[in-house]
Amino acid sequence: MSLAEERQLLAGWGRAGKSAARLVSPSCTQEAEKVLAALGNEGGRPAIARGLGRSYGDAAQCGGGTVIDCRGLTAPFEISPSGLCRAGGGLSIDSLLERAVPAGWFVPVTPGTRQVTVGGAIASDVHGKNHHVDGAFAAHLRRLELVAPTGRILCGPEDPAFAASCGGMGLTGVITEATFQLIPIESSRIKVETERAGDLDACMALLAERAEEHRYSVAWVDGLAGGRKLGRSVVTRGDHARPAELPAGAAKDPLAYRPRQRFRAPLAPPLSPLSPATIALMNEVWYRKAPRTSKTSFESIASFFHPLDAVGDWNLLYGTRGFIQYQYVVPFGAEEVVRDSLERLGRAGHPPYLVVLKTFGPPGQGHLSFPREGWTLALDLPLGRAGLAEVLDGLDELVAEAGGRVYLTKDSRLRPELLEQMYPRLPAWREEARRLDPDGIMSSDLDRRLGLRRSPEKKALGK
Amino acid sequence: MNDATGMPQRVLVVGGSSDIARQILLLLARRRLVHVVLCGRDLAAMEEVAGELRRVGVSRAECLSLDLTEPGGLGELAEEATERLGEVDLALFSAGELGSAELEELDAARVSQMVASNFSGQAAIALELAKGLLRQGSGRLVFISSVAGVRVRRANFVYGAAKAGLDSFAIGLSEALRGTGVGVMIVRPGFVRTKMTAGLPAAPFSVGPQEVAAAVLAGLEEGREVVWVPAPLRLVFGLLRLLPQALWRRLPG
């Protein structure tokens, strides 16, 4: 098999840092194997798998190399009577839910969008609002099929290739199939308790107290509120509703599932409609709309888990320059880092447009898996105004010093010299990645930028 | 790789002893710069810059001898520098020679040489590098142009004409590279107080090389295609361009 030479310009969801690569689209595991074999024969040109392009940064692009478009790897798709799901690596959570929910099953972990592939969910070891009780995606994974440059392997939690591939950013090979346990649900509604918190301390107290009582919890934080209102937020906690709890209308068809995309951004406007002023206004409305004391409501899966999916291509709204999502986790006890980040960004005139705070439970098996116990803060920051690079470089240092780490799936600018400190299991991961791919065929812009596979030229720490 | 904030790790400089290049590199060293190859005529001055960069944490800083007036070696130089860097995230074109504008001091050889160092030699290397960046699928070319090329003046017309050539070449190259992942940024400073302009009376809106460097970094971060330094020059030259030649000729400075 020889590979055609057709270049395409690719970017992450944040739409910054584009690069051009050859795109190949295998439609089954055998074809994926042939692609990797052909790449091996070509010698030296790197490749990376790509799913639905929801990584915010440059994890699924490979400038000058080959990007393996995995969206065709949708087979197989089976759900056993006990809720064990066998799915192709390119199957989207969206397609999966469409079949699973009406049958009374739900994914064990969903990120904030259902437009991710199963392979991508594993390679990023994605987390959801339930990390504090259920862990990340890989915790529910029984088996995965990996097409590595050294060949196709099946591996389970006891295999070294499993720990290297879960959260491995696709750098061990192409994940072509996975088997994981779904969770049973009796209805497609979430019973949600919504409550607002006037400042960061109140928000953290709400998230931390009786955390285990609710399966899902998250805080939306007003990134433009400063001073005494810093960290004011709306905290939502939810659980899958039982049919008996549902209001009359919903109780008739408890497993009904009709996610809708309401709008689609047609193109990136030359001037973004999002600005600190419009965001501040939207935040004010959102905050005031939320009840002062806890109030219960019922929400659909789509509106509770995937609210932004209602607007197709919403990333275009940030304009032509795109945006960064900066997400980190710091251990419990390092609450000041969260406060400090919000303050520093505000002071520097780079307020985050969207801020999400939640707690993580214990880490999983993946060597490079992002979650660990503590606070995770995700900040959406528009690009296009100078000064952000410097502020974020400062935050990297704060996070590293606190024993935290930045999420690679979202990353597009981390200071490479802090990588090993943030991911102490990097040496073990490198060793296993080398075993699966001795010639270094798997690589991405993220890998080259941070030197994930090989340690980069050392750059002195500090300014 | 360049990161999402436009900060490069590997940089090639044509005109490696320029004061503006030095300031730009010192600022880049605070962010992601790990490897730089300086190309130019004045090896001793470049070695000094390389040493300074290593001292502020850049792990590799090397110098290559380059004569822009020798068209034969330009392609090879681009190749050699690229090979040393492995990947070129950013190529900076900062060579400049003010030379003379006095007819009695100028001759065919002098004019050819000034055009080569300010324009044609840099354009030739830029073209070779652009092809390399295309294969790479990403990267950026930054040209230090000048307002002297925006509207040419009697006082420095050979220099100004050559800069006008470089500026136009950069605009054309930028169009040719649109949609490829390779970007071009043109920097148009006014009068910059450097060793090139030492001894000349400063024109209005004059700046130091640090200000040019800061504007270049901001431009990289903001993803700009054209940067004027200082920024008001964009408007000033927008108007000056429209002046009748008879008035333009009489302007002081």
Side-chain angles (χ1 to χ4, degrees):
Chain A
M1 178 176 182
S2 72
L3 303 168
E5 193 64 41
E6 201 195 320
R7 285 280 184 110
Q8 210 165 318
L9 193 59
L10 296 167
W13 191 241
R15 303 186 69 248
K18 298 183 174 78
S19 70
R22 165 176 72 176
L23 205 63
V24 293
S25 308
S27 60
C28 61
T29 301
Q30 288 70 33
E31 278 184 31
E33 283 179 86
K34 282 183 192 156
V35 167
L36 283 197
L39 286 168
N41 293 336
E42 273 182 358
R45 274 182 69 175
I48 194 71
R50 180 181 176 97
L52 287 159
R54 256 44 174 205
S55 289
Y56 284 74
D58 49 8
Q61 56 198 62
C62 187
T66 304
V67 169
I68 305 167
D69 175 0
C70 294
R71 288 174 298 180
L73 304 173
T74 51
F77 181 22
E78 297 156 11
I79 299 173
S80 81
S82 64
L84 213 54
C85 179
R86 200 175 144 227
L91 189 79
S92 68
I93 302 275
D94 185 41
S95 312
L96 197 163
L97 290 178
E98 228 167 84
R99 194 189 306 174
V101 173
W105 299 104
F106 192 62
V107 281
V109 167
T110 175
T113 170
R114 49 184 187 274
Q115 303 302 340
V116 299
T117 61
V118 167
I122 295 167
S124 288
D125 196 13
V126 298
H127 58 269
K129 298 177 180 183
N130 55 340
H131 190 276
H132 60 291
V133 285
D134 292 327
F137 197 88
H140 309 271
L141 197 56
R142 298 291 171 80
R143 209 173 67 152
L144 66 84
E145 181 186 67
L146 179 76
V147 175
T150 42
R152 187 175 69 100
I153 53 168
L154 285 172
C155 56
E158 63 291 346
D159 297 307
F162 186 91
S165 301
C166 294
M169 305 311 294
L171 294 167
T172 58
V174 182
I175 296 165
T176 46
E177 195 190 306
T179 306
F180 47 95
Q181 182 64 53
L182 300 176
I183 59 167
I185 50 172
E186 291 175 59
S187 90
S188 63
R189 303 304 160 101
I190 312 297
K191 184 181 176 187
V192 187
E193 282 180 29
T194 307
E195 194 170 345
R196 73 192 200 191
D199 59 26
L200 190 62
D201 287 338
C203 169
M204 287 180 151
L206 274 178
L207 281 174
E209 79 182 16
R210 296 177 292 125
E212 333 59 57
E213 282 180 25
H214 296 282
R215 187 165 211 156
Y216 304 105
S217 69
V218 72
W220 163 90
V221 181
D222 182 353
L224 279 106
R228 275 186 303 114
K229 292 180 186 167
L230 185 92
R232 73 169 177 178
S233 42
V234 179
V235 178
T236 51
R237 291 179 281 194
D239 290 281
H240 293 284
R242 280 172 291 113
E245 297 174 309
L246 292 177
K252 265 184 242 154
D253 187 2
L255 287 168
Y257 180 63
R258 283 177 293 273
R260 263 188 296 268
Q261 185 184 61
R262 289 163 210 276
F263 313 100
R264 172 167 286 276
L267 49 94
L271 281 175
S272 167
L274 310 181
S275 72
T278 54
I279 297 288
L281 187 69
M282 280 155 56
N283 286 359
E284 191 70 40
V285 172
W286 189 256
Y287 179 76
R288 286 181 185 230
K289 214 182 73 175
R292 263 173 227 278
T293 52
S294 181
K295 204 177 125 194
T296 303
S297 61
F298 292 89
E299 285 186 33
S300 69
I301 282 170
S303 94
F304 184 74
F305 292 107
H306 315 124
L308 287 171
D309 283 349
V311 184
D313 296 331
W314 62 263
N315 58 337
L316 293 180
L317 296 178
Y318 275 90
T320 49
R321 304 260 195 265
F323 68 108
I324 284 177
Q325 188 177 89
Y326 186 68
Q327 182 172 3
Y328 64 75
V329 57
V330 287
F332 291 121
E335 287 75 17
E336 283 312 304
V337 174
V338 174
R339 182 186 308 280
D340 218 4
S341 330
L342 293 171
E343 273 172 1
R344 284 193 191 194
L345 285 163
R347 259 204 316 271
H350 291 279
Y353 285 6
L354 182 66
V355 184
V356 173
L357 178 68
K358 75 163 267 92
T359 58
F360 274 162
Q365 260 188 293
H367 291 313
L368 297 187
S369 179
F370 166 64
R372 50 151 298 158
E373 263 167 319
W375 297 102
T376 182
L377 185 73
L379 307 150
D380 283 20
L381 299 154
L383 283 165
R385 237 164 32 73
L388 187 60
E390 187 175 356
V391 188
L392 291 181
D393 277 8
L395 294 191
D396 284 347
E397 216 163 300
L398 275 187
V399 170
E401 272 166 22
R405 56 173 70 125
V406 166
Y407 192 6
L408 298 178
T409 296
K410 310 279 178 82
D411 180 58
S412 55
R413 40 98 8 238
L414 177 66
R415 287 171 61 176
E417 64 272 24
L418 295 175
L419 185 73
E420 295 207 43
Q421 193 180 339
M422 289 184 174
Y423 288 90
R425 282 157 73 188
L426 196 61
W429 177 81
R430 278 188 180 139
E431 199 182 311
E432 181 59 16
R434 207 159 33 235
R435 197 181 64 78
L436 293 164
D437 175 23
D439 300 326
I441 289 172
M442 303 313 297
S443 181
S444 59
D445 288 358
L446 174 85
D447 168 38
R448 274 148 64 192
R449 184 168 52 77
L450 297 180
L452 282 165
R453 287 288 308 268
R454 62 187 83 61
S455 37
E457 281 112 308
K458 282 277 174 279
K459 186 166 158 58
L461 280 172
K463 294 263 153 79
Chain B
M1 294 299 307
N2 288 301
D3 72 11
T5 59
M7 296 299 121
Q9 294 174 305
R10 285 157 234 280
V11 174
L12 187 160
V13 184
V14 171
S17 64
S18 117
D19 290 339
I20 293 177
R22 172 171 165 262
Q23 294 297 336
I24 292 173
L25 292 168
L26 286 172
L27 289 185
L28 291 176
R30 288 200 209 161
R31 304 266 89 86
R32 301 290 180 271
L33 188 61
V34 288
H35 190 176
V36 57
V37 172
L38 302 168
C39 311
R41 223 171 11 192
D42 191 346
L43 273 175
M46 292 195 302
E47 282 299 349
E48 210 166 295
V49 177
E52 193 178 4
L53 290 171
R54 285 190 292 265
R55 281 194 296 280
V56 296
V58 176
S59 44
R60 289 177 75 187
E62 333 174 41
C63 305
L64 284 179
S65 175
L66 160 69
D67 185 353
L68 286 165
T69 62
E70 286 290 333
L74 300 179
E76 283 156 37
L77 177 106
E79 211 171 292
E80 163 82 23
T82 305
E83 205 165 290
R84 290 197 183 199
L85 285 166
E87 258 170 41
V88 182
D89 302 331
L90 189 148
L92 173 65
F93 296 87
S94 55
E97 186 195 357
L98 197 51
S100 173
E102 298 311 320
L103 297 186
E104 52 277 20
E105 288 170 28
L106 288 167
D107 57 25
R110 275 297 287 151
V111 171
S112 305
Q113 184 215 322
M114 282 170 67
V115 171
S117 58
N118 285 306
F119 170 34
S120 57
Q122 300 198 79
I125 296 178
L127 189 92
E128 289 301 326
L129 288 174
K131 287 199 233 167
L133 299 192
L134 270 177
R135 282 190 292 277
Q136 221 172 260
S138 72
R140 216 156 183 189
L141 301 146
V142 175
F143 294 88
I144 307 295
S145 173
S146 168
V147 296
V150 175
R151 185 155 186 187
V152 176
R153 288 180 69 87
R154 165 70 188 88
N156 55 17
F157 74 96
V158 183
Y159 172 78
K163 282 290 190 185
L166 184 71
D167 196 294
S168 298
F169 176 83
I171 292 173
L173 186 61
S174 160
E175 291 303 319
L177 292 170
R178 205 156 281 274
T180 62
V182 181
V184 172
M185 184 168 94
I186 302 168
V187 185
R188 293 183 189 137
F191 187 95
V192 188
R193 297 179 296 270
T194 61
K195 53 182 179 272
M196 188 183 87
T197 60
L200 293 178
F205 295 105
S206 71
V207 290
Q210 293 95 331
E211 286 160 275
V212 180
V216 166
L217 255 80
L220 291 175
E221 193 173 349
E222 295 178 353
R224 292 193 184 276
E225 293 180 5
V226 179
V227 172
W228 298 79
V229 200
L233 282 182
R234 179 183 171 197
L235 188 72
V236 171
F237 270 83
L239 296 170
L240 288 179
R241 247 196 287 226
L242 305 175
L243 274 191
Q245 187 68 21
L247 276 176
W248 172 245
R249 180 181 305 138
R250 284 184 178 79
L251 280 192

